[in-house]
Amino acid sequence: MRSRSRPGVAGRDADRSQAVLPQRDGRHRPHQLYIVGIGPGRLEHLTLRATEVLRSVDCVAGYSLYIDLIQALIDGKETLRSGMMKEVKRVEAAITAAMSGKTCALVSSGDPGIYAMAGLVFETCKTKNIRLRPHGPTETDRAEAPALMVEVVPGIPALCAGAALLGAPLTHDFAVVSLSDLLTPWEVIAERLEAAARADFVIVIYNPKSKKRDWQLEAACKIILAHRDPATPVGIVTAAMRPNQEVQIVPLQKLSSVEVGMQTTLFVGSRSSIRYLEFMFTPRGYSTKYEIR
Amino acid sequence: MRSRSRPGVAGRDADRSQAVLPQRDGRHRPHQLYIVGIGPGRLEHLTLRATEVLRSVDCVAGYSLYIDLIQALIDGKETLRSGMMKEVKRVEAAITAAMSGKTCALVSSGDPGIYAMAGLVFETCKTKNIRLRPHGPTETDRAEAPALMVEVVPGIPALCAGAALLGAPLTHDFAVVSLSDLLTPWEVIAERLEAAARADFVIVIYNPKSKKRDWQLEAACKIILAHRDPATPVGIVTAAMRPNQEVQIVPLQKLSSVEVGMQTTLFVGSRSSIRYLEFMFTPRGYSTKYEIR
């Protein structure tokens, strides 16, 4: 139950001088790993912090498509590219690079903590018994040389990028569920969908379909339709803020016949979500308490 | 069921020239409203797009604290400041400014679509019957002069900022619930907490407590404890990435006695969430499928 105030993280300039320009005297220079979210795709949706970190590090690890998206920022740097489904290998390569003394950024699209690489970094470090420390100096152990200093740099997640294009579907309580049953049993996914539908959450669905997973979306629709009006608006966003972006809103009853893919995120409205022109939104309840004229 | 490919939004340069530097000939210049997320607090967590929009607009509307956080970007601009609980008035002021011909940015902390102002903008426009259009040219109605062109500019939400500081609590399915019963009946909130706890979602809790709402957190803990181990790790993040930042991890059974406030976000682990050193994370299941050595 230890409290961390992390003055170095909060004090911006002090923090940056150590993080981005580590001491070059070779003594007590901490090994540094950044887990960086690059947002939905276009460089303008990266944060300034993510941009700075990517410019400063020695090497960048990631899925090849994501490295291509940020190539303009990291030209000339060492890259550790890997293919889809190679997550374990990719994370191990990034940790190995950082432990060898290079500053390394492991990149994920969207936010690195939502269905992305951050969890696997911590899981791997725990398994390997690597001593991790939050980024920045702390009050108690500034003098120690930790095994690995880690900073998760948040990015705009697909759920925010998609919601922004649709209007405001997430202004009230929502649940986020992945339909990928590669690592999670379908029974667990189905139970979560049922619970979220019954309790009237807006439901954000990641990974609705892939070449090999072609029946889960229809099964999910059946579960949700048991608790929600067939006319409920559903936002379908594919490749948000990328050149091939597609945005549409359909009634829930038509969702299972719509074309979706690996880059699609779905936003199933709650009982109070409303479609207005080309947008959908979920009221928070102001109109029942205040008069909007 | 109309599809929007929005070539103008995807084509970066074409888009920006119209968005940030609107035509100055006075004919068909669309009224423009931006709903901008400024992220958790420090300017370095704004996106480049948010920074650009804030620099380009004629006026900025928002809660005074948020306008102070971005003052360096908007010095000299007209500001429409308002206090807490004045959301309806704030949104109406921003819409009025935009409809009068000024480009206006309505700012929210975090992401503008998550428990923030975007929903109320769409709700108000629907009530007032204002014709809204997505930002950027579209194939069909480029020549028309729409009533109001709106762009939601996503920001890093508190749930990503807090998760980044804690490690990776959100790498698997999660539900997001606000404990504020000012606009939502407590029975609805309680039902959602119960459903999320039962179906083993990680639960992100916004607005756990305020001066006037002092019993809801304890009630929420009781509901969750009925379905989850008392030792489940809970991340408590207050004022993420602001000077007064506090981060701690406690077992669920101690949560109701911890000091939390208006700037606190809570992350209640699922049955598989793990604490490791000063971090918590939720495994996605790689270790059951692949060997991590």
Side-chain angles (χ1 to χ4, degrees):
Chain A
M1 193 164 156
R2 177 173 159 208
S3 172
R4 283 187 269 140
S5 63
R6 295 196 196 159
V9 175
R12 188 172 178 243
D13 293 332
D15 174 51
R16 180 184 306 159
S17 63
Q18 178 173 6
V20 177
L21 301 169
Q23 292 158 24
R24 294 289 177 186
D25 63 6
R27 292 201 319 144
H28 296 308
R29 182 190 171 189
H31 295 311
Q32 294 196 42
L33 178 64
Y34 298 90
I35 310 168
V36 179
I38 63 169
R42 285 213 308 281
L43 289 181
E44 66 180 339
H45 290 290
L46 263 79
T47 66
L48 308 180
R49 177 70 184 150
T51 306
E52 250 179 15
V53 165
L54 290 172
R55 287 208 171 110
S56 76
V57 291
D58 299 322
C59 82
V60 178
Y63 173 42
S64 290
L65 170 65
Y66 304 152
I67 290 189
D68 290 342
L69 288 170
I70 55 166
Q71 193 58 53
L73 289 177
I74 59 170
D75 239 4
K77 288 188 194 293
E78 180 186 355
T79 55
L80 304 167
R81 292 166 173 267
S82 48
M84 271 213 323
M85 314 290 288
K86 298 290 181 196
E87 291 86 354
V88 172
K89 207 177 138 194
R90 192 182 310 152
V91 163
E92 289 184 342
I95 293 171
T96 302
M99 297 293 285
S100 78
K102 297 171 188 166
T103 57
C104 183
L106 173 65
V107 297
S108 289
S109 77
D111 180 79
I114 297 183
Y115 301 119
M117 294 290 95
L120 191 53
V121 170
F122 290 97
E123 192 173 358
T124 304
C125 288
K126 181 172 182 291
T127 304
K128 291 176 185 284
N129 207 20
I130 294 172
R131 198 172 140 249
L132 289 176
R133 211 185 87 172
H135 182 81
T138 63
E139 282 144 31
T140 51
D141 57 354
R142 183 192 282 259
E144 291 175 46
L148 189 59
M149 190 180 271
V150 64
E151 177 181 347
V152 181
V153 181
I156 300 293
L159 67 93
C160 290
L165 293 169
L166 288 165
L170 304 182
T171 310
H172 212 315
D173 305 332
F174 61 97
V176 187
V177 182
S178 166
L179 294 197
S180 172
D181 56 356
L182 297 178
L183 299 172
T184 306
W186 176 254
E187 295 66 35
V188 173
I189 298 169
E191 188 197 351
R192 287 179 181 164
L193 288 168
E194 211 278 330
R198 184 186 294 271
D200 198 28
F201 282 97
V202 175
I203 307 175
V204 184
I205 296 179
Y206 275 64
N207 307 311
K209 199 175 249 184
S210 72
K211 276 180 193 164
K212 288 187 181 170
R213 293 185 300 99
D214 59 1
W215 57 265
Q216 287 83 352
L217 179 57
E218 198 176 334
C221 289
K222 270 191 198 148
I223 293 168
I224 298 170
L225 273 165
H227 301 282
R228 217 156 284 183
D229 192 309
T232 303
V234 179
I236 301 169
V237 181
T238 299
M241 297 168 185
R242 294 183 191 173
N244 53 328
Q245 169 182 300
E246 290 282 345
V247 180
Q248 58 177 319
I249 300 170
V250 304
L252 178 56
Q253 63 195 341
K254 296 203 172 162
L255 175 57
S256 63
S257 60
V258 166
E259 197 177 316
V260 301
M262 292 286 288
Q263 297 187 64
T264 304
T265 310
L266 305 175
F267 298 76
V268 181
S270 72
R271 283 171 212 140
S272 48
S273 298
I274 293 167
R275 177 173 184 163
Y276 178 56
L277 303 170
E278 292 187 69
F279 302 95
M280 68 181 275
F281 66 96
T282 305
R284 198 163 167 201
Y286 289 103
S287 62
T288 57
K289 185 146 179 172
Y290 306 99
E291 193 178 0
I292 302 173
R293 282 164 302 187
Chain B
M1 195 164 155
R2 176 174 157 206
S3 172
R4 282 187 269 140
S5 64
R6 294 194 198 160
V9 174
R12 188 170 177 243
D13 292 331
D15 174 51
R16 181 185 302 161
S17 64
Q18 178 172 8
V20 176
L21 300 168
Q23 294 157 25
R24 294 289 177 188
D25 63 5
R27 293 202 318 146
H28 296 306
R29 183 191 171 189
H31 296 311
Q32 294 195 42
L33 178 64
Y34 299 90
I35 311 170
V36 179
I38 62 169
R42 286 211 309 279
L43 289 182
E44 67 179 341
H45 290 290
L46 264 78
T47 65
L48 307 180
R49 177 70 184 152
T51 306
E52 251 179 15
V53 166
L54 290 172
R55 286 205 172 113
S56 77
V57 292
D58 298 323
C59 82
V60 178
Y63 173 43
S64 291
L65 170 65
Y66 303 152
I67 290 187
D68 289 344
L69 288 171
I70 55 165
Q71 192 60 52
L73 290 177
I74 59 169
D75 239 6
K77 286 189 195 293
E78 180 185 356
T79 55
L80 303 167
R81 291 167 174 267
S82 48
M84 271 212 323
M85 316 289 288
K86 299 290 183 196
E87 291 88 353
V88 173
K89 206 177 139 194
R90 191 182 310 150
V91 164
E92 288 185 342
I95 293 171
T96 302
M99 297 293 283
S100 79
K102 297 171 189 166
T103 57
C104 183
L106 173 66
V107 297
S108 289
S109 76
D111 180 79
I114 297 182
Y115 301 119
M117 294 291 95
L120 191 53
V121 170
F122 290 96
E123 192 173 357
T124 304
C125 288
K126 181 173 184 290
T127 305
K128 291 176 185 286
N129 207 19
I130 294 172
R131 198 173 140 249
L132 289 176
R133 210 185 86 172
H135 181 81
T138 64
E139 283 144 31
T140 51
D141 58 355
R142 183 193 280 263
E144 290 177 43
L148 189 58
M149 190 180 272
V150 65
E151 178 182 348
V152 180
V153 181
I156 301 292
L159 67 92
C160 290
L165 293 168
L166 288 165
L170 304 182
T171 309
H172 212 316
D173 304 333
F174 61 96
V176 187
V177 181
S178 165
L179 294 196
S180 172
D181 57 355
L182 298 178
L183 299 172
T184 305
W186 176 254
E187 294 68 34
V188 173
I189 299 169
E191 187 197 352
R192 289 180 181 164
L193 289 168
E194 211 277 330
R198 183 186 296 269
D200 199 29
F201 282 98
V202 176
I203 308 175
V204 183
I205 296 180
Y206 276 64
N207 307 310
K209 199 174 248 184
S210 72
K211 276 181 192 161
K212 288 188 179 166
R213 293 184 302 99
D214 60 1
W215 56 265
Q216 287 83 352
L217 179 57
E218 198 176 335
C221 288
K222 269 190 200 148
I223 292 168
I224 298 169
L225 273 165
H227 301 281
R228 218 156 283 183
D229 192 308
T232 303
V234 179
I236 301 169
V237 181
T238 299
M241 297 166 184
R242 295 182 190 174
N244 54 327
Q245 170 181 300
E246 290 281 347
V247 180
Q248 58 179 318
I249 299 169
V250 305
L252 178 56
Q253 64 197 340
K254 294 201 173 162
L255 175 58
S256 63
S257 60
V258 167
E259 199 177 314
V260 301
M262 291 286 287
Q263 296 186 65
T264 305
T265 310
L266 305 174
F267 298 76
V268 181
S270 73
R271 284 170 212 140
S272 48
S273 298
I274 294 167
R275 178 172 183 164
Y276 178 55
L277 304 171
E278 293 187 70
F279 301 94
M280 68 182 277
F281 66 97
T282 306
R284 199 165 167 198
Y286 289 102
S287 62
T288 59
K289 185 148 178 167
Y290 305 100
E291 194 178 0
I292 303 174
R293 283 163 304 188

